[in-house]
Amino acid sequence: MVQHTTLATDRLAAQREFRTELIDSGVLVATSVDGLYQRSAVFESVVRGLERRVSAEGADRYEPLLFFPPVLPRDVFVRSDYLRSFPDLTGSVDTFVGDDRDHAELLQALDSGADWTQYLTPAEVMLCSAACHPLYPSLTGTLPVGGRRMEVQGFCFRHEPSIDPARMQVFRQHEFVAVGDPEVCVAHREEWLERALRILGGLGLAVRKVVANDPFFGRAGRMLAANQRDTALKYEIVCPITSAEFPTAIASGNYHIDHFGGPFSIRTADGDTAHSACIGFGMERITLALLKTHGLDPQCWPSTVRTQLAL
Amino acid sequence: MVQHTTLATDRLAAQREFRTELIDSGVLVATSVDGLYQRSAVFESVVRGLERRVSAEGADRYEPLLFFPPVLPRDVFVRSDYLRSFPDLTGSVDTFVGDDRDHAELLQALDSGADWTQYLTPAEVMLCSAACHPLYPSLTGTLPVGGRRMEVQGFCFRHEPSIDPARMQVFRQHEFVAVGDPEVCVAHREEWLERALRILGGLGLAVRKVVANDPFFGRAGRMLAANQRDTALKYEIVCPITSAEFPTAIASGNYHIDHFGGPFSIRTADGDTAHSACIGFGMERITLALLKTHGLDPQCWPSTVRTQLAL
């Protein structure tokens, strides 16, 4: 127990120290909200170098890259069923649809320190939880033989305030998604996990593959988490950032079975409910792993790394 | 009246037609929510070309470019006073902070088609309304002599569902901001309005400068709008996209007086409340103006335009 506590304290101290280094060097700018950062041009140049690097790996094998905005239609979010597993991470968007009188009441509440958000109404959109969620409604219907393969990038929001710089509330995922038969999907996940290990290892990161351990919510969530581990549907590629004992997941490969094919009515050419799988690169986390591994100034990184990222 | 109605109908038809062209050509992908689009790699390459072009224009005169995430701290949003003028455009973020029992009730509401959002709680963040809002809290205190000049880019959210492709709910602004004495701020706005006319005109866009006419909310808003026009604090650079009679604002220069300096306690070297001014380039709108003016395939644009955008 003593050792466990020491480990946890060390871990927190290491997270805080790296965060301070990132902020003092100007690579990230802190805000008043934990886990919410402004990115320097230096940070962004690494993200874009990574984008080119992983995108080149999928070239010609995938449909053209799509960039998704940070919000998605509410009905798509609901059908993704994210609320069942991770309600605590979601971001629902409210707006004001009232008249002059309602507005006057809202401002009165605001000025008197009361809860002004009671005058708001749910909008048609939610913040994205995973980059591939907005993709599935566009696949409703029957797939061509062999399924489809897509490449997408988007901002995700996860409400988990933390001082760990690798646990941001807003970050980008760059994903490669396959939909089709189970065989197509499992092969996609396996190929990309190997490819991701090669790409990230080639950038000098000490990566390895582990079975994923997602933070499913609550009592029911503990069963879902155990089931996820037992069935090994999702793997993570982890890398030490602020802790060797608790490496950070910087990419993941996830076989969804019919989790999206069902609700979004996606069918294979044979008429079966389509399966899907995705590999997601966490652009901010990989950038942080590179900054931790090679130093805070990308101009001083090994030339092989700089070349691969076209920095 | 007949002519007015005809104009409005023509305008709507032209917006719908351009939207259809953009979607049919794959430049944008529609979602089930009006004003919310997925961007193709082609669209994004123009946005990034524009980013390089305008950023080069500010080089060495501005502090290094910062990229802001699409959400900002709620207290910063409140202090920006956006709720007073544009409540109907805002996006407030809710999340779930309950326990297992609350979660069960949320899911029961969801499954029975009831309002599940009643189980959510306002989070510490809001969606950004303008790219420069997250900047001001970092300037609290006393400025150096001559003030400061910053360059920022960020996603903005404005809840105004529309079939006009130039009225997106989510878009990027690239801004140059000055804070300091009134003279510094007015000069900044004037210089940049001229610079923006030159940059955008140089890209073949039929731009001109007009006094801005923001859609302030409600009865009180009509007075604010009249005041904005009378004092000419904000100018827009407009360009025909789907209508010559109703050109679209694709950039704007705004002198805020002490609208931000006051609430964020920013002081000049002399101890006065700092003024501020910004020029904002609407990245999606400029891209749409280019696509409308030069055609849907940037590979076929005039070489002078392609060279300037490094396409």
Side-chain angles (χ1 to χ4, degrees), chain A residues 202-203 301-309:
Chain A
L203 292 170
W301 289 359
S303 64
T304 56
V305 176
R306 292 175 47 76
T307 304
Q308 289 176 71
L309 298 177

Side-chain angles (χ1 to χ4, degrees), chain B residues 210-232:
Chain B
V210 298
V211 173
N213 194 9
D214 278 340
F216 290 93
F217 178 82
R219 266 200 307 271
R222 281 196 286 280
M223 277 161 48
L224 293 172
N227 184 56
Q228 187 191 47
R229 284 193 301 274
D230 291 346
T231 53

Side-chain angles (χ1 to χ4, degrees), chain A residues 188-200:
Chain A
H188 171 84
R189 187 193 61 179
E190 295 311 305
E191 279 167 28
W192 267 107
L193 282 166
E194 289 313 304
R195 208 170 275 150
L197 282 169
R198 183 168 50 73
I199 295 171
L200 299 170

